[in-house]
Amino acid sequence: MLKILLYGSARERKILEEALQKPLEENKISFSFRYLSNPQELMENYLYNRYYRLIVACLDGCTAYVIKGNGSKHDYYIAKGTMSFPPTSEEINEKLMRNPELAGFYSSGEYTVAHRGLTRKIPYEEIDYIHSDDKKTIMYLTNGDKEIISKNIGKVNDEINRRYFAKCCIGVIVNTRNIHKIHRSEKNSRVIEFKSGAKVLMTEGYFEKFAEAYSMSVSRLADLKALDD
């Protein structure tokens, strides 16, 4: 569960809570809020307390945020910055929801691969894309590894959670949560680039259907602006 500390006046905390609650729920993040208005208590008891991984505060008319490390890293503050007040859904998604340090709080699910009596569970966030290879399917992972699945891609497509995956061309399904950017390559194609640096080609004929699936996956039509870059 993601423990979040909201700092500010009662009115400011209510505004921050209302802005954060919807994207947290849409991304299926289990969370709880704690409220604080005493600056001395914030500095003495909470700013350096790793129990609250995310602090969101109203300061000087802006929304300030701090994302803390999980205790296994040398850097105490992983990310910090400001947003407008109240923060827009675009700011929350870009600066908080898509921050990799909060990925562990996503309950996105996993895919189970069985091979010679052994099973391996692969979290969705570790999958970049899935590619058809005749009667088998190859799963390309964010760390550069591949997983060969003894099923055709149609079967795999039925088994994955389509909230996180979308078809971009014949025989290729991509993880929309791991997309970094999409840009035009040639007249009849576009390139999907993942956060890991991997790339796949999307044919223009699939663009409209992909855009619809992508917008449903990320829960915000505003993200579609990336498709036109």
Side-chain angles (χ1 to χ4, degrees):
M1 176 179 287
L2 177 61
K3 303 289 186 180
I4 305 172
L5 178 68
L6 298 181
Y7 174 84
S9 67
R11 182 187 70 84
E12 292 166 343
R13 296 196 308 263
K14 181 175 177 57
I15 291 173
L16 291 174
E17 179 178 356
E18 291 175 348
L20 291 169
Q21 187 165 354
K22 184 178 179 180
L24 288 166
E25 291 174 348
E26 287 178 342
N27 284 281
K28 300 185 182 301
I29 297 179
S30 176
F31 65 93
S32 67
F33 290 123
R34 183 174 178 84
Y35 310 96
L36 190 66
S37 59
N38 186 314
Q40 184 175 353
E41 188 177 357
L42 173 67
M43 293 297 295
E44 292 180 355
N45 299 330
Y46 292 98
L47 193 59
Y48 302 102
N49 185 337
R50 292 185 184 272
Y51 186 70
Y52 290 92
R53 291 284 300 280
L54 176 62
I55 297 178
V56 183
C58 180
L59 297 172
D60 300 323
C62 294
T63 300
Y65 65 90
V66 172
I67 301 173
K68 303 179 186 179
N70 60 13
S72 63
K73 298 184 178 181
H74 297 297
D75 294 332
Y76 184 74
Y77 295 129
I78 301 301
K80 54 185 176 180
T82 59
M83 301 179 285
S84 56
F85 183 83
T88 66
S89 58
E90 289 80 7
E91 289 175 315
I92 292 172
N93 186 71
E94 180 67 26
K95 297 187 177 184
L96 300 182
M97 297 300 103
R98 291 186 176 232
N99 190 292
E101 293 303 324
L102 298 183
F105 295 99
Y106 284 72
S107 55
S108 62
E110 57 194 10
Y111 185 84
T112 301
V113 178
H115 183 64
R116 295 181 179 179
L118 300 176
T119 60
R120 177 188 177 191
K121 295 184 181 295
I122 304 176
Y124 285 154
E125 59 262 26
E126 295 181 9
I127 303 171
D128 270 346
Y129 65 99
I130 303 167
H131 185 269
S132 175
D133 182 26
D134 196 15
K135 295 182 180 180
K136 296 182 179 181
T137 301
I138 301 177
M139 187 172 286
Y140 291 83
L141 307 182
T142 57
N143 64 3
D145 290 345
K146 302 176 185 177
E147 191 73 41
I148 299 177
I149 303 169
S150 300
K151 301 176 183 178
N152 64 47
I153 198 167
K155 179 65 174 177
V156 175
N157 183 51
D158 291 338
E159 294 173 343
I160 61 175
N161 187 337
R162 293 307 300 274
R163 179 179 172 84
Y164 299 89
F165 295 87
K167 192 173 184 179
C168 70
C169 64
I170 296 175
V172 180
I173 301 170
V174 300
N175 183 347
T176 58
R177 302 299 177 95
N178 284 342
I179 291 175
H180 173 58
K181 64 180 179 179
I182 302 173
H183 52 88
R184 191 178 297 279
S185 174
E186 299 175 354
K187 183 178 180 180
N188 297 319
S189 63
R190 299 176 189 240
V191 173
I192 297 175
E193 184 175 338
F194 298 94
K195 298 172 185 176
S196 65
K199 298 178 182 179
V200 297
L201 196 67
M202 175 169 59
T203 53
E204 194 69 19
Y206 273 84
F207 178 73
E208 188 172 337
K209 289 184 178 180
F210 174 84
E212 181 180 358
Y214 183 53
S215 66
M216 292 176 64
S217 171
V218 298
S219 304
R220 281 182 27 258
L221 288 170
D223 278 323
L224 289 177
K225 64 178 183 292
L227 300 175
D228 296 322
D229 291 346

